[in-house]
Amino acid sequence: MVSTLDAELPSKASSPVSAPVARVRDPRLDFYRGIAMFIILFAHTPGNFFTSWIPARWGFSDATEMFVFCSGMASAIAFGGAFDRAGWRLGTARVGYRVWQVYWAHIGMFVIIAAMLAAIDLAAVSDTVYIGTLNLWRFFSDPGPQLVGLLTLTYVPNYFDILPMYMVVLVMLPIVMALSRVNLWLLAGVSLALWFFAQGALLDWLGLGHLHLSLPAEPWSDRRWFFNPFGWQLVFFTGFAFMRGWIPAPPLNRVLVGLALLIVLANVPLSNIGVREFGFDWAREWRMENRGWFSKSDFGILRYVQFLALAYLGYAVAGDGGRNLIVTGTGMLARLWATVIRLTTKVGQQSLAVFLFSMVLARFTGFVLDQLGRDVATVTLANLIGMALLVCVAYSVGWFKRQPWRGVPAR
């Protein structure tokens, strides 16, 4: 999962400008981002037993880290290259254009999901009030102020919180590029400082709670954005730094694989599975007393450590340069595995469109399962259909992006 563009760190961390990185698409980037898209679909489908097997149940980190880390890597290619080729001003404009796209994607996703839930409630096909399943009572009872809040990102309901976080992190990107031209250690210090002041539990413990960096999620309460961008920027810019060559790719060896595996396995007793299924009472008590260490909202340090270990194992599995993702066999199993890799990679290549679709699909699938029931066969079929639809969306978006109608002679 970690970038292996074989770029070296500058001989001195204080080099004013890092060497431009070639626009080479790392196959591991799209493959693991595709896996994250499938996991996100499972995780957001209500009552889905598939979620018992996603990374979040077995450790501190989950698909969000995969998504944000890989987005950082992709941004290094898409936006870092723009800064290299066109300079800081036009590079900033390129980032601003992407923020504009993501902003309207966020607004559109909210409107579509809210309208879908409202339509289900108007149809009166169930005793469940579906706008309440996402706590949208205030939006529908008093829409005027909430529309203003929605458009200004001061009203960010849960379930609609990852794209606002992504936008804020993208806004930080021009500053990061400017700092990188001054000193890479300065850049690292600023990123770590932002992360530190996003750690609410740690700051409270130090008596510095009033310095907690976060953003308001709704005007009528003190709830903050669930995904604190000042904490989550750390994992985003870690992926960005690997792809830019500011952090060298780690070597592949048995010692590091063993250490990463040890960290991942050590997380299991402290995970949801460890507490709920294995009955580790001491782990339950530990989690209750130390939530700040693995806070998802503020991106606690244990999430970062566990994710880096998991990412290294993914890096090892894929092999240097992603060679293990290139299937050369001709047998039936080899062809099947090659197909899985190809489809998953395609989903990863169109991650924004797939993510938007999956968030809508997950709520609709939850409604359908409410009507049909949730036995093993029904839920499994719903997940398989969902995965197939994500693949269809990825290929459809890829087709439209190619604009095949251009260059076709008029008839």
Side-chain angles (χ1 to χ4, degrees):
M1 210 183 294
V2 177
S3 164
T4 57
L5 286 181
D6 294 325
E8 299 292 335
L9 271 177
S11 58
K12 294 184 179 180
S14 59
S15 296
V17 182
S18 61
V21 179
R23 289 177 59 87
V24 178
R25 195 83 178 188
D26 191 313
R28 292 161 295 184
L29 167 62
D30 293 324
F31 177 71
Y32 284 113
R33 194 158 55 167
I35 291 176
M37 291 300 101
F38 289 128
I39 294 173
I40 286 172
L41 174 64
F42 299 155
H44 287 88
T45 302
N48 187 1
F49 71 81
F50 272 40
T51 59
S52 295
W53 302 99
I54 64 176
R57 300 296 177 266
W58 297 86
F60 296 127
S61 70
D62 58 25
T64 311
E65 279 84 358
M66 295 173 64
F67 179 75
V68 175
F69 181 81
C70 290
S71 294
M73 295 172 67
S75 295
I77 299 172
F79 307 130
F83 281 94
D84 292 333
R85 294 188 304 274
W88 189 86
R89 183 174 60 86
L90 290 179
T92 299
R94 173 71 179 90
V95 173
Y97 178 63
R98 185 58 169 174
V99 172
W100 177 254
Q101 291 177 313
V102 175
Y103 172 80
W104 287 110
H106 166 69
I107 300 300
M109 181 180 70
F110 176 88
V111 171
I112 290 171
I113 292 176
M116 179 181 69
L117 298 181
I120 292 172
D121 289 337
L122 288 172
V125 296
S126 172
D127 293 333
T128 301
V129 181
Y130 279 90
I131 63 171
T133 61
L134 291 181
N135 194 25
L136 298 180
W137 301 105
R138 186 68 70 104
F139 177 81
F140 283 96
S141 65
D142 190 18
Q146 302 349 307
L147 280 172
V148 174
L150 179 69
L151 293 174
T152 58
L153 300 181
T154 55
Y155 172 54
V156 181
N158 286 337
Y159 195 84
F160 302 97
D161 35 28
I162 192 167
L163 290 183
M165 176 266 285
Y166 180 49
M167 281 186 271
V168 173
V169 173
L170 284 180
V171 169
M172 297 179 190
L173 209 158
I175 301 172
V176 165
M177 292 302 296
L179 289 174
S180 73
R181 299 186 178 200
V182 177
N183 187 287
L184 291 180
W185 289 109
L186 173 63
L187 168 58
V190 170
S191 180
L192 288 171
L194 282 176
W195 173 85
F196 175 80
F197 285 105
Q199 304 308 300
L202 177 59
L203 291 172
D204 286 341
W205 182 72
L206 294 172
L208 301 173
H210 60 288
L211 297 177
H212 184 210
L213 283 175
S214 60
L215 296 171
E218 54 195 22
W220 62 85
S221 78
D222 60 357
R223 188 174 69 85
R224 319 303 286 178
W225 285 17
F226 182 78
F227 290 108
N228 187 339
F230 304 109
W232 279 86
Q233 54 81 27
L234 181 63
V235 70
F236 178 92
F237 287 117
T238 299
F240 190 92
F242 271 118
M243 189 60 83
R244 287 290 292 174
W246 297 342
I247 302 175
L252 279 174
N253 59 56
R254 293 181 179 179
V255 174
L256 289 179
V257 168
L259 177 60
L261 186 61
L262 178 63
I263 292 172
V264 170
L265 293 178
N267 273 250
V268 174
L270 300 172
S271 68
N272 286 317
I273 291 293
V275 170
R276 297 176 185 176
E277 303 298 329
F278 300 153
F280 294 137
D281 291 335
W282 62 270
R284 181 180 291 105
E285 295 176 4
W286 184 91
R287 286 177 65 93
M288 292 178 64
E289 295 173 359
N290 298 277
R291 292 184 181 277
W293 291 99
F294 56 93
S295 166
K296 187 169 184 175
S297 290
D298 292 335
F299 191 59
I301 189 62
L302 292 183
R303 298 183 70 90
Y304 187 56
V305 172
Q306 196 260 355
F307 171 73
L308 290 179
L310 196 61
Y312 182 80
L313 292 177
Y315 168 50
V317 168
D320 188 27
R323 64 173 182 271
N324 295 338
L325 300 179
I326 302 173
V327 181
T328 57
T330 57
M332 183 179 67
L333 288 179
R335 292 198 302 272
L336 177 61
W337 179 234
T339 300
V340 169
I341 292 174
R342 184 176 68 255
L343 297 181
T344 303
T345 299
K346 191 66 178 180
V347 168
Q349 289 171 350
Q350 308 298 340
S351 59
L352 179 59
V354 169
F355 172 79
L356 296 170
F357 178 80
S358 71
M359 297 293 276
V360 178
L361 177 63
R363 303 315 297 184
F364 181 74
T365 301
F367 162 70
V368 172
L369 290 175
D370 286 345
Q371 313 313 306
L372 300 179
R374 285 177 170 78
D375 56 40
V376 173
T378 304
V379 174
T380 300
L381 179 61
N383 282 295
L384 293 176
I385 292 173
M387 294 173 71
L389 289 175
L390 296 194
V391 171
C392 290
V393 168
Y395 273 96
S396 298
V397 172
W399 184 84
F400 279 105
K401 283 185 175 180
R402 289 196 301 271
Q403 301 182 36
W405 51 83
R406 297 185 64 178
V408 177
R411 295 182 179 179

